[in-house]
Amino acid sequence: MKKLIAGNWKMNGSLAANDALVRALVKGMEGDAGCSVAVCVPAPYLAQVQMLRAGSALELGAQDVSQHSEGAYTGEVSAAMLKEFGVRYTIVGHSERRQYHCETDALVAEKARAALAAGITPIVCVGETLAEREAGRTEEIVKRQLAAVIHANGHCISEIIVAYEPVWAIGTGKTATPGEAQQVHAVLRAQLKAATGHADRVHILYGGSMNAANAASLLAQPDIDGGLVGGASLKAADFLQIVRAAR
Ligand code: 13P
């Protein structure tokens, strides 16, 4: 299975900065990248990045999606709208949305369902806080978060992507060790296997201070199928180095 490296730009970028970044990525990916590569960009920049990446293997992602299909939901963006702009993936349930926008497990599951219904692959984020890890609750937390998505999406579950993002590792420069990450990935793998009931392998990405220096050792773990990269995805050279580590 090809690995997937997805950049999450979060609320960063400008027309000028995006232009330079995406052009550099497209150039750096010429030939066979050897893995799948995507950038998840702020909604206003989808059209720009869609044009810049045309003809390349770089894929487009969004950072969130509404659980509703259309209607009076001011400020929301539907999965069908994302689809019209060539979006292949959307992040759902990022810890920043769970934390700052009060997104619950049930809401995240609905968002994953809305994405799947429009033919977009949801990248479902799960992960424990530092307090939860220190209390020995890591497994319980990630299993509960994933169970909600499995429950709401039944037979489509093999179509999702999961991203394990320990909250304490996000933007802190404090990465989970390859062994710590692998341990949680193995738990998620077992849960997904039990839910799908067959051999379909769901991608499980690691996210949280992944960078050019630590990517190779994380990606060498048997159950780490790629990365969801924040800060390091804003620098073309760093992001391309992570892409190369995923070959
Ligand atoms: P950093 O790579 O900046 O830690 O962010 C990880 C993340 O949240 C990706 O979604």
Side-chain angles (χ1 to χ4, degrees):
M1 177 170 77
K2 267 193 186 175
K3 289 191 165 45
L4 167 65
I5 301 296
N8 174 9
W9 290 1
K10 308 194 179 186
M11 199 172 73
N12 294 291
S14 67
L15 289 173
N18 305 344
D19 189 88
L21 176 55
V22 176
R23 282 180 199 281
L25 295 181
V26 167
K27 191 158 188 294
M29 285 173 58
E30 276 169 4
D32 185 10
C35 64
S36 304
V37 187
V39 284
C40 300
V41 311
Y45 296 136
L46 288 170
Q48 181 200 17
V49 177
Q50 161 75 331
M51 282 194 290
L52 286 168
R53 73 173 190 105
S56 86
L58 181 66
E59 294 177 309
L60 187 58
Q63 297 175 8
D64 186 29
V65 66
S66 174
Q67 72 273 34
H68 303 293
S69 54
E70 64 181 342
Y73 302 103
T74 303
E76 294 288 282
V77 176
S78 74
M81 293 171 188
L82 297 179
K83 190 75 185 169
E84 285 197 307
F85 284 87
V87 166
R88 165 93 192 264
Y89 305 102
T90 184
I91 297 170
V92 297
H94 192 280
S95 63
E96 288 149 16
R97 297 214 54 92
R98 292 180 190 261
Q99 186 179 350
Y100 306 134
H101 301 272
C102 305
E103 293 197 1
T104 61
D105 293 344
L107 177 60
V108 173
E110 283 297 291
K111 289 185 169 197
R113 189 195 47 71
L116 287 168
I120 294 174
T121 302
I123 300 176
V124 177
C125 299
V126 301
E128 81 288 2
T129 63
L130 184 59
E132 288 161 346
R133 171 163 284 259
E134 284 175 347
R137 297 180 59 209
T138 299
E139 273 193 29
E140 167 205 336
I141 299 295
V142 298
K143 283 171 90 171
R144 188 202 73 210
Q145 291 171 333
L146 183 56
V149 176
I150 291 172
H151 180 73
N153 291 281
H155 61 281
C156 292
I157 206 64
S158 56
E159 309 295 319
I160 73 166
I161 289 173
V162 175
Y164 170 53
E165 297 209 312
V167 178
W168 48 271
I170 295 176
T172 56
K174 225 182 136 194
T175 320
T177 64
E180 281 170 338
Q182 166 58 29
Q183 203 176 350
V184 179
H185 279 236
V187 167
L188 295 169
R189 175 83 64 214
Q191 190 178 4
L192 286 162
K193 269 202 178 143
T196 53
H198 47 82
D200 271 1
R201 188 171 162 114
V202 171
H203 274 88
I204 308 178
L205 314 181
Y206 169 80
S209 298
M210 185 182 265
N211 58 39
N214 63 27
S217 57
L218 286 159
L219 293 168
Q221 297 300 310
D223 288 303
I224 300 187
D225 306 316
L228 185 56
V229 185
S233 73
L234 299 172
K235 295 177 210 127
D238 289 23
F239 192 61
L240 286 169
Q241 208 168 326
I242 297 172
V243 167
R244 282 190 284 272
R247 276 181 179 160

